[in-house]
Amino acid sequence: MDTEAWRSFVRAAELGQLQHAADELGVTQQAVSKRIAALERDLEVRLFTRTARGVELTLDGQAFLPHARSVVAGVDRAVAAVRPGSRALRIDVLGFRSAQSVVMHEYWRSHPGSDLDLVTLRVDDPRVAVAAIEAGDIDASFRTVTDPAVLPADVRMVHAFDSPLELLVGPRHPLASARKLTPPQLRRHRIWVPGIAPRSEWGEFYDQLATEFDLRIDAAGPHFGNEVLLDTLADSADVATLVGARDRYLWPTSHDLRRIPIVDPAIAYPLSLMIPRTNPHPELRGIITHLGCLPRLPETVWLPSWAGARGDGGSANGRLTKVN
């Protein structure tokens, strides 16, 4: 199907003159005439009759016009769907209550003209997100490939921000009354993080965290959702979990859950943004600038070893680093 012939027909029908259609389409009147003639041969009907004032639709042309308009509009939408800058930025976040989603909402509020489409790939292996970027299914992903050597040449990874962790406990937990906690104070307490997936970046994070501070990270059982996790914490006197300081969690007032900052050192989860190396979506420039303006952690912080691969001064062995 010659979609330009359909487009020429639609504009000629709407403007009533072949020359006006040609001027708008940036071609000659002869080109428009040839396109419409070819379309009439394919359809085996006359679409226009010539008049002293230009062209008028025949009965067949009148019947054909609404369908032709629909086809042309569909073609325009299809092109816009895959052309950076003319469609929404598709960006993958780990969850719609996650710190990444919160930061993107802050960006959108400060840039109300932005056209964002947040998606969640629901995958644990960051290499699947890399493949989605390469295929053009998404424009960016808040994921981290912990070994940059396996990152394809056409995808790059930039530091997004570091998310400090807090301990979340119910009112009967022994640490519930603390205003802040240090990592050594968490020892011997059960920290339940259900559903840690093998080969995931957060699986590696918790392995290093447990080793560094001798913590009891319990990944037993599947993750049945935040509601079940929060209900369990509210009813338990010995179960706690770790959440990001920017993560959004909602619970009934009767749960009386407490979020307690971890300090001396703070424990931070480093977040990266994976983007195409060439022809990135234009909106990404503003987002990266926004990420660079987020408040930095004002204290000594522990980061996992793979944060050092970002080249931003992170620890190479999961040890402490000073955030300036």
Side-chain angles (χ1 to χ4, degrees):
M1 181 177 66
D2 183 358
T3 56
E4 290 308 309
W6 291 56
R7 189 184 305 278
S8 296
F9 162 74
V10 169
R11 294 311 292 142
E14 292 172 342
L15 297 173
Q17 290 193 9
L18 299 184
Q19 184 60 59
H20 290 172
D23 292 341
E24 185 176 293
L25 297 172
V27 298
T28 65
Q29 179 178 335
Q30 184 181 21
V32 170
S33 296
K34 287 183 176 180
R35 290 175 181 176
I36 293 174
L39 182 59
E40 289 176 327
R41 285 195 299 271
D42 290 341
L43 298 174
E44 298 182 350
V45 297
R46 290 289 301 276
L47 299 173
F48 288 113
T49 58
R50 292 184 177 272
T51 70
R53 292 178 297 177
V55 291
E56 291 183 356
L57 290 170
T58 64
L59 291 177
D60 288 324
Q62 294 174 31
F64 184 62
L65 179 59
H67 304 290
R69 280 195 181 117
S70 178
V71 168
V72 171
V75 170
D76 290 342
R77 286 194 300 270
V79 172
V82 297
R83 178 177 292 160
S86 61
R87 57 166 171 77
L89 169 68
R90 292 185 297 252
I91 187 165
D92 166 48
V93 296
L94 294 178
F96 295 123
R97 295 189 181 277
S98 67
Q100 308 107 70
S101 182
V102 172
V103 168
M104 286 297 91
H105 183 229
E106 293 170 352
Y107 172 80
W108 179 81
R109 290 184 64 184
S110 61
H111 300 76
S114 301
D115 194 4
L116 299 179
D117 182 12
L118 296 191
V119 300
T120 300
L121 292 183
R122 305 291 183 186
V123 297
D124 299 319
D125 190 340
R127 291 173 296 183
V128 178
V130 171
I133 294 173
E134 291 184 296
D137 296 332
I138 56 175
D139 298 297
S141 174
F142 278 102
R143 311 267 178 162
T144 300
V145 174
T146 58
D147 181 5
V150 304
L151 198 65
D154 54 351
V155 176
R156 70 186 183 101
M157 193 166 56
V158 299
H159 176 224
F161 60 94
D162 297 322
S163 179
L165 299 188
E166 299 174 334
L167 192 75
L168 182 62
V169 298
R172 297 191 296 124
H173 193 278
L175 300 176
S177 61
R179 297 180 64 88
K180 58 185 178 179
L181 294 165
T182 64
Q185 290 178 288
L186 305 182
R187 291 174 184 158
R188 297 182 298 278
H189 292 283
R190 181 190 175 198
I191 300 175
W192 188 40
V193 187
I196 296 178
R199 300 193 302 175
S200 65
E201 61 188 86
W202 51 91
E204 189 170 345
F205 173 86
Y206 283 113
D207 285 344
Q208 293 189 22
L209 180 63
T211 300
E212 178 73 21
F213 295 106
D214 191 25
L215 301 184
R216 181 186 170 195
I217 306 292
D218 183 2
H223 184 29
F224 288 105
N226 290 337
E227 290 77 9
V228 173
L229 175 63
L230 298 175
D231 289 347
T232 301
L233 295 174
D235 293 338
S236 175
D238 63 354
V239 179
T241 195
L242 292 169
V243 297
R246 284 191 177 93
D247 294 345
R248 284 181 177 150
Y249 288 88
L250 302 175
W251 56 79
T253 303
S254 59
H255 278 18
D256 194 20
L257 300 183
R258 291 94 187 273
R259 299 179 68 146
I260 308 172
I262 300 172
V263 299
D264 299 327
I267 296 172
Y269 191 98
L271 289 156
S272 301
L273 184 66
M274 297 193 298
I275 63 176
R277 193 171 293 276
T278 59
N279 196 32
H281 193 288
E283 191 74 36
L284 285 170
R285 183 187 300 273
I287 286 176
I288 292 174
T289 299
H290 177 77
L291 294 174
C293 296
L294 292 177
R296 301 297 179 181
L297 301 181
E299 56 188 309
T300 302
V301 60
W302 180 89
L303 294 167
S305 63
W306 39 269
R310 306 176 313 202
D312 64 349
S315 164
N317 298 299
R319 58 179 185 269
L320 304 183
T321 185
K322 187 69 175 180
V323 177
N324 296 321

